[in-house]
Amino acid sequence: MTTKPNYVVYVPKQPQDWKKADPKLRGDTYNDHIQVIYDEARSMHYCFWTQATREGEPDHHIVFSRSMDGGKTWSKPVLLQGSETRSNPRPLASWQQPMLSKSGRLYLLWNQQVNGDKIHHGALFGAYSDDAGLSWSKPKSIAMPRMDMDSPDPLVPAEWCNWQRPLRLGEGGKFIVGCSRHGRAPYDEKKQCRVEFWQFDNIDDDPEIEDIKISYFNTNKDAFDVSQVVGATNYGIKEGPAIEEAAIVGLPDGRLFAMMRSSVGSPVWSVSSDHGRTWSRPKILCFQDGGKPIPHPRSPCPLYDWEGPEAFSGKYFAIVHNTFDYNDVTAYQNRGPLFLLKGQFVPGAEQPIWFSQPELINPRPKDNSYYTSYTVANGEGVLWYNDMKYYVLGKKIEW
């Protein structure tokens, strides 16, 4: 394979050309939003992902697989929620977010279609497992407050997506995650995308799904948008402005650093000094203070702590395309070769993580969209990723 993986989680059964896929069989030619957790107590890897025939098709569903040998072999993916086939469509389920409580209870929350609307519109649902994913509780909903960007019609669900899994980076080790909110607030000129943050307050109490408590930070007018970014211009003329898909890491001084994709030709960043409750004004991501902006289209841009997602180590890596055509009318540009940037914490710097020159990690000329996870188990760091949104793979990341 072009990306030279070290591990193979899943190879689809249906042909890669989705038009040739059998609509009566499980749609598996689209595999996205790979979420992997390592359960140290059980020495198991759990992998959850969104699957379908193609993004936007009526068979979006969530599947689950696990490995008991360090990722060498994986169990047959089990359907957890959603619409399995195009020939018998059911309400969609997508954009899963797993969390492992201190007792070992495995939680899974997701975006659940409730009224036949498009993907990203949905209610927040969840279930849990007390036996490492062999069986699951009955799915139940979690109430979500209405935000400014939501439809004024209370019957229309919010349009939202959490692309990274929640991490124990919040206050007292609570799980926190960035949420992409789509819509048009009453004070907006056009529809756009903003970033807010969710903190899961009581997962370690092993609550029932309906009793999960969530604190919402950086919401409504405080949520990140392009107009807040110093010196930014909205190059996404066709689609409208966007800041979305936050990736969060911890800094050695206890602050949080969030890197987000945007429509301005580069990722943007922000820091929080109070465990994610409030955030600094977002700025364009550069290689270092006073350096050049890192060019990148409106495409996933993962960022991880190299020693472990919750390590606060000061050593990081990001994945970007390292190119952007500022003369184009769209920010959704070619998702070509991908490059790895090594990052180091720099005490006292304005941008607290400075990045090295790009190292090629995926040479494929198009169709690279890395919705990924990262785990460190037994001293080995592995990036779990979707190759061409088709294969589900793992690659060792070495410093």
Side-chain angles (χ1 to χ4, degrees):
M1 295 181 181
T2 301
T3 57
K4 299 179 180 179
N6 301 104
Y7 300 99
V8 177
V9 179
Y10 184 69
V11 175
K13 308 304 180 186
Q14 299 238 49
Q16 191 167 0
D17 183 353
W18 71 272
K19 295 178 182 178
K20 298 178 181 178
D22 187 340
K24 300 183 184 65
L25 301 178
R26 180 185 295 182
D28 73 346
T29 49
Y30 165 75
N31 296 282
D32 207 355
H33 286 233
I34 313 306
Q35 308 287 7
V36 181
I37 291 178
Y38 178 63
D39 185 342
E40 187 172 358
R42 296 186 176 105
S43 299
M44 286 187 187
H45 284 84
Y46 307 127
C47 184
F48 304 83
W49 70 95
T50 295
Q51 191 175 72
T53 301
R54 185 178 66 151
E55 189 168 9
E57 289 294 304
D59 59 350
H60 272 237
H61 53 271
I62 297 168
V63 293
F64 168 70
S65 178
R66 64 183 197 169
S67 174
M68 294 182 284
D69 57 7
K72 296 181 179 66
T73 61
W74 292 82
S75 62
K76 181 180 178 181
V78 175
L79 176 74
L80 294 184
Q81 292 296 324
S83 180
E84 187 171 14
T85 69
R86 286 181 291 162
S87 62
N88 183 28
R90 294 178 293 183
L92 311 183
S94 308
W95 326 137
Q96 66 293 328
Q97 23 186 336
M99 291 173 280
L100 187 65
S101 79
K102 290 182 178 179
S103 74
R105 174 173 284 185
L106 186 58
Y107 283 89
L108 184 70
L109 309 185
W110 64 87
N111 183 312
Q112 176 66 58
Q113 185 187 47
V114 291
N115 63 359
D117 208 345
K118 61 183 179 178
I119 59 173
H120 297 313
H121 279 199
L124 179 61
F125 268 65
Y128 62 80
S129 172
D130 287 322
D131 55 11
L134 295 177
S135 63
W136 293 84
S137 66
K138 181 179 179 180
K140 294 183 179 180
S141 64
I142 304 170
M144 291 178 63
R146 303 297 290 185
M147 299 296 184
D148 291 356
M149 297 179 74
D150 297 339
S151 169
D153 183 349
L155 298 179
V156 177
E159 187 174 356
W160 60 279
C161 178
N162 296 357
W163 89 274
Q164 284 281 26
R165 69 177 177 91
L167 298 174
R168 289 185 177 277
L169 299 175
E171 186 174 10
K174 294 177 181 177
F175 287 100
I176 191 169
V177 70
C179 175
S180 301
R181 284 270 189 174
H182 303 259
R184 182 177 179 179
Y187 38 79
D188 290 336
E189 294 183 3
K190 59 176 68 175
K191 182 178 178 179
Q192 61 176 303
C193 185
R194 291 185 170 94
V195 166
E196 64 185 23
F197 296 89
W198 298 7
Q199 178 178 279
F200 299 90
D201 293 325
N202 63 336
I203 294 298
D204 287 325
D205 296 332
D206 291 341
E208 295 299 311
I209 294 299
E210 66 271 28
D211 295 326
I212 291 176
K213 296 179 181 179
I214 305 174
S215 295
Y216 297 86
F217 304 145
N218 210 65
T219 62
N220 297 323
K221 285 189 175 182
D222 292 328
F224 294 141
D225 70 71
V226 169
S227 68
Q228 301 169 355
V229 181
V230 178
T233 303
N234 173 30
Y235 291 94
I237 298 172
K238 283 185 178 180
E239 308 85 14
I243 295 179
E244 54 197 336
E245 298 180 356
I248 312 173
V249 295
L251 302 175
D253 60 13
R255 292 181 296 165
L256 302 184
F257 180 95
M259 172 176 160
M260 297 155 278
R261 85 177 195 178
S262 78
S263 60
V264 304
S266 295
V268 299
W269 65 273
S270 176
V271 294
S272 172
S273 299
D274 55 7
H275 311 288
R277 290 182 176 273
T278 61
W279 293 80
S280 66
R281 185 174 178 178
K283 297 180 179 180
I284 293 174
L285 189 73
C286 298
F287 285 97
Q288 61 186 44
D289 285 359
K292 294 180 179 180
I294 298 173
H296 185 74
R298 191 171 172 181
S299 179
C301 48
L303 172 70
Y304 298 106
D305 190 310
W306 182 75
E307 293 189 6
E310 298 146 338
F312 290 79
S313 76
K315 296 173 68 175
Y316 312 92
F317 69 93
I319 299 174
V320 300
H321 291 292
N322 196 42
T323 184
F324 190 79
D325 181 359
Y326 293 94
N327 296 313
D328 206 338
V329 295
T330 177
Y332 283 112
Q333 299 181 10
N334 179 45
R335 294 177 173 181
L338 285 166
F339 297 84
L340 184 143
L341 309 177
K342 293 178 180 177
Q344 291 271 8
F345 173 66
V346 180
E350 179 184 10
Q351 180 182 299
I353 300 177
W354 289 11
F355 293 94
S356 66
Q357 290 304 302
E359 301 175 16
L360 185 65
I361 190 174
N362 183 344
R364 187 180 292 109
K366 62 178 183 177
D367 299 327
N368 299 315
S369 185
Y370 270 20
Y371 284 102
T372 58
S373 281
Y374 181 69
T375 60
V376 175
N378 300 315
E380 180 182 80
V382 178
L383 179 73
W384 305 97
Y385 63 102
N386 54 330
D387 192 14
M388 298 185 291
K389 293 191 176 182
Y390 185 70
Y391 302 103
V392 183
L393 308 171
K395 186 178 182 67
K396 297 178 184 178
I397 299 295
E398 297 179 353
W399 192 256

